[in-house]
Amino acid sequence: MKPLWRWQELRSALGLAAEEGPDIGGFAIDSRLLSPGDLFVALLGDPGPRFYASSASERDGHDFVADAIRRGAAGVLVHRDERYGAPALCVPDTLDGLWALGRHRRSRLACPVAAVTGSSGKTTCKEFLAAVLGAFATDGSFNNHIGVPLSLASTPVDAAAAVYEIGTNHPGEIAPLSRLAAPNVAIVLNIHPAHIEFFDGLDGIRREKLSIAEGLGADGVLVRNEQVQAQGDAPRTLTFGREASADVRLVAIDGDRARLATPAGIIAAPVPGGGQHRAMSVAACAAALLALGLPLAQLERLDAAKLPKGRGNRIEVGGVTVIDDSYNANPASMKAALLGLAAEPASRGGRRVAVLGEMLELGDGGERFHRQLAADCQGLDQVFCIGSGMAPLRDELQATGDVQWLPEADADFAAACARTLRPGDTVLVKGSNRVFWANGFVNALVAALSED
């Protein structure tokens, strides 16, 4: 099998003198997740003032080099000139080195490249677009100052197409990542009050998301939600949305199919997982195909697309349907998930139960955003509120429904929650990443339901 990188190309991309070494099959920044033949990149846990890291730590990847080598690393990228017992690429800064590798690999790609940003649904849209284009895309949300260059460096040079996800927590992050990815098509999926704590309101988020256009070349196309107003001298643009003015208009949703009005006429397309929010991602994919001059018939490839884990996946266990939407949450995505739960059929006589975790990084509007969810919880049979931020929703619901509040979602709560559920129930689990996803709550809940 052709290697991902030749050692000589790695050294050339890093500005190092020619030297013989092993071929590389992939990259790893966590020694525990390394596959034999990977290059281990020894990053610092704190990137310093250049980048914002929500989980910055004092850990140093160099402390795990020995473990990486024991697990079969073919070589290591380091910024300490020491003896490691494996071929080493020594650079002044390993994060800069990773960016250099991503930049070099992007320069070698001859295929169409797309980049996706938005307040919610980025990973799902990336997966949909990868299916439509037959493209390379990394699993999960590799969308920050580490994930984007790592995704670029991991792209096979002969890929048919490539799709990258770009996110932000602070102003000024998207533009340099987009310039690194240099997409042919840049997609702005939506603007919501997510990670708003460090922005000057929704307009600040809008400006940041639209800065993805700074990576487009002269022939690049910006694909944006019709509701996201452009700024300045925008590049060539195609829009999608429900508005009559959109180039790709979402006309209707019928279960897991959407009808889209396009320049080529009305077409139908699959919507994996259903729902309006996912149908909008399908509309964005249609606009991207138009931007690239590719046939809209490729939307039928969505039949084989799968939802990324934690983004609304349905798990049937013990007669209970668990909707795992635990990866993250903001007010708009929470509303969409709750409306979807309320629309679940109750033909089996089951109940609709919501396990809701607090939404983080909402700044001064946090209490208001949580309280407003009460309107979307009407008609649900039971609501569990998790975390201090969810106390306002608990207070709002106490007079009208069955609601419980807990400070955290631990294994004991997973077991207790499972005991309250019965065959026929549908339970939604949704909250910010640190509430459920980072703690494996859904896995614990499913395990507890399996035991009953």
Side-chain angles (χ1 to χ4, degrees):
M1 185 174 68
K2 184 178 179 181
L4 183 65
W5 285 77
R6 303 286 188 186
W7 191 257
Q8 293 284 30
E9 187 181 7
L10 287 169
R11 294 189 66 85
S12 175
L14 295 168
L16 300 175
E19 187 179 288
E20 292 299 322
D23 293 334
I24 296 299
F27 293 88
I29 59 174
D30 185 332
S31 63
R32 297 167 298 181
L33 303 178
L34 182 142
S35 297
D38 282 353
L39 179 74
F40 178 69
V41 183
L43 297 173
L44 297 177
D46 186 347
R50 294 178 299 169
F51 303 103
Y52 172 75
S54 59
S55 57
S57 72
E58 296 181 358
R59 288 192 171 186
D60 186 338
H62 293 77
D63 297 337
F64 302 93
V65 167
D67 183 57
I69 293 172
R70 282 195 299 270
R71 293 174 184 266
V76 294
L77 177 62
V78 294
H79 55 241
R80 293 182 187 169
D81 191 5
E82 302 174 2
R83 292 183 178 274
Y84 291 101
L89 301 163
C90 189
V91 295
D93 182 278
T94 48
L95 183 56
D96 287 344
L98 182 60
W99 275 61
L101 294 179
R103 188 175 297 109
H104 178 83
R105 179 47 54 96
R106 177 62 186 94
S107 72
R108 297 285 311 281
L109 298 178
C111 63
V113 171
V116 180
T117 194
S119 296
S120 62
K122 293 184 294 297
T123 304
T124 297
C125 185
K126 178 194 70 177
E127 293 295 330
F128 285 6
L129 193 55
V132 165
L133 297 176
F136 168 85
T138 50
D139 291 333
S141 299
F142 284 73
N143 61 25
N144 65 2
H145 62 283
I146 296 172
V148 174
L150 189 63
S151 297
L152 283 159
S154 300
T155 307
V157 74
D158 59 354
V163 184
Y164 306 110
E165 176 184 344
I166 300 180
T168 182
N169 285 326
H170 279 64
E173 293 180 322
I174 287 180
L177 291 171
S178 183
R179 287 192 289 268
L180 182 68
N184 305 106
V185 176
I187 299 173
V188 179
L189 194 57
N190 49 45
I191 304 294
H192 301 313
H195 306 297
I196 198 172
E197 182 177 3
F198 302 104
F199 290 90
D200 58 345
L202 279 175
D203 194 56
I205 295 177
R206 179 187 65 85
R207 293 194 301 271
E208 176 70 8
K209 300 297 186 185
L210 285 169
S211 71
I212 195 173
E214 294 187 24
L216 292 169
D219 297 327
V221 181
L222 175 66
V223 170
R224 62 173 172 83
N225 191 308
E226 180 69 7
Q227 293 184 339
V228 179
Q229 295 302 309
Q231 60 185 36
D233 296 326
R236 180 189 165 206
T237 301
L238 290 173
T239 62
F240 64 94
R242 301 209 73 146
E243 296 78 7
S245 56
D247 295 302
V248 175
R249 180 166 60 93
L250 176 59
V251 177
I253 309 166
D254 183 12
D256 60 357
R257 301 283 294 182
R259 282 196 297 132
L260 305 173
T262 77
I266 299 289
I267 63 170
V271 182
Q276 178 169 308
H277 52 309
R278 298 189 188 99
M280 291 296 279
S281 289
V282 173
C285 290
L289 286 172
L290 291 172
L292 292 170
L294 297 173
L296 292 174
Q298 290 182 204
L299 290 171
E300 288 301 324
R301 296 177 180 179
L302 286 167
D303 268 337
K306 296 181 180 179
L307 291 178
K309 291 183 179 179
R311 276 79 166 191
N313 315 80
R314 301 174 74 91
I315 305 168
E316 303 287 340
V317 55
V320 174
T321 300
V322 178
I323 302 176
D324 178 10
D325 209 346
S326 63
Y327 184 78
N328 221 336
N330 62 55
S333 66
M334 188 74 86
K335 179 182 181 71
L338 286 169
L339 292 178
L341 177 62
E344 285 286 324
S347 57
R348 296 181 297 170
R351 300 168 301 161
R352 303 178 183 93
V353 179
V355 180
L356 306 179
E358 60 185 326
M359 301 176 290
L360 303 174
E361 297 182 19
L362 294 179
D364 294 339
E367 179 177 344
R368 172 171 55 88
F369 286 125
H370 285 88
R371 192 177 297 277
Q372 287 175 343
L373 293 176
D376 304 310
C377 291
Q378 299 305 312
L380 301 184
D381 298 288
Q382 187 169 22
V383 178
F384 293 95
C385 297
I386 313 298
S388 59
M390 271 292 172
L393 177 60
R394 172 204 58 193
D395 296 343
E396 198 73 15
L397 292 177
Q398 276 181 332
T400 60
D402 188 351
V403 59
Q404 296 184 44
W405 177 87
L406 295 95
E408 60 181 357
D410 55 17
D412 289 340
F413 169 61
C417 181
R419 288 194 293 271
T420 70
L421 299 171
R422 58 186 187 230
D425 287 352
T426 299
V427 54
L428 166 71
V429 181
K430 187 167 182 65
S432 282
N433 189 286
R434 281 175 272 170
V435 182
F436 298 124
W437 180 266
N439 301 312
F441 174 78
V442 169
N443 290 338
L445 177 63
V446 169
L449 287 168
S450 299
E451 295 173 0
D452 292 345

